[in-house]
Amino acid sequence: MKDFGYSIIEQLIDKKLINKISDIYELELEDIASLKKNGKKFAENLKNAIEDSKKRDLFKLITALGIRHVGAKSAKSLARVYKNLDNLMNASLEDLSNQNDVGEITAKSIYEFFRAGTNNRFN
């Protein structure tokens, strides 16, 4: 996301405004503005970037996560089936294994990716 760098994420974590990746989409304008003195314009720009990211294809986000064995073809298939990142994150190993374009190895990789604390939580 434009304007959403490591230092911003670090500040949001320090202020306990986010704990996991999906919390980014729940941020309020005031939360973001609190990160900088006179941060209203900064907050508006960042909030717009967050909102714009919601309009992008889910498969691009899935691909960008860098999950081992997940390429564009399987990411597109996963996006069609699961519709949003939360659904994909909560999918069972069995459900993932039953999807088209996702083999057993890829399913296990996706399942483990979202259960590893460092991949979906900021800690």
Side-chain angles (χ1 to χ4, degrees), residues 14-30:
D14 289 345
K15 289 189 169 219
K16 301 192 182 331
L17 295 171
I18 60 173
N19 186 40
K20 59 186 186 292
I21 294 169
S22 59
D23 290 343
I24 292 167
Y25 295 99
E26 305 298 323
L27 288 169
E28 299 293 332
L29 198 60
E30 298 78 26

Side-chain angles (χ1 to χ4, degrees), residues 3 5 21 24 26 37-38 46 59 63-66 74 76-77 84 95 98 103 108 113 121:
D3 298 324
I21 294 169
I24 292 167
E26 305 298 323
K37 188 175 182 179
N38 301 320
L46 192 55
F59 88 89
T63 304
L65 289 173
S74 55
K76 286 179 182 179
S77 179
N84 64 57
D95 189 42
N98 290 328
K108 185 175 180 186
F113 179 87
R121 292 208 175 272

Side-chain angles (χ1 to χ4, degrees), residues 28 69 89 94 102:
E28 299 293 332
H69 306 296
M89 289 171 67
E94 182 181 3
V102 177

Side-chain angles (χ1 to χ4, degrees), residues 29 32 41-55:
L29 198 60
I32 300 167
K41 183 64 178 168
F42 163 77
E44 288 171 354
N45 290 341
L46 192 55
K47 188 68 174 167
N48 287 338
I50 292 168
E51 292 302 315
D52 287 346
S53 77
K54 292 178 183 179
K55 298 172 191 165

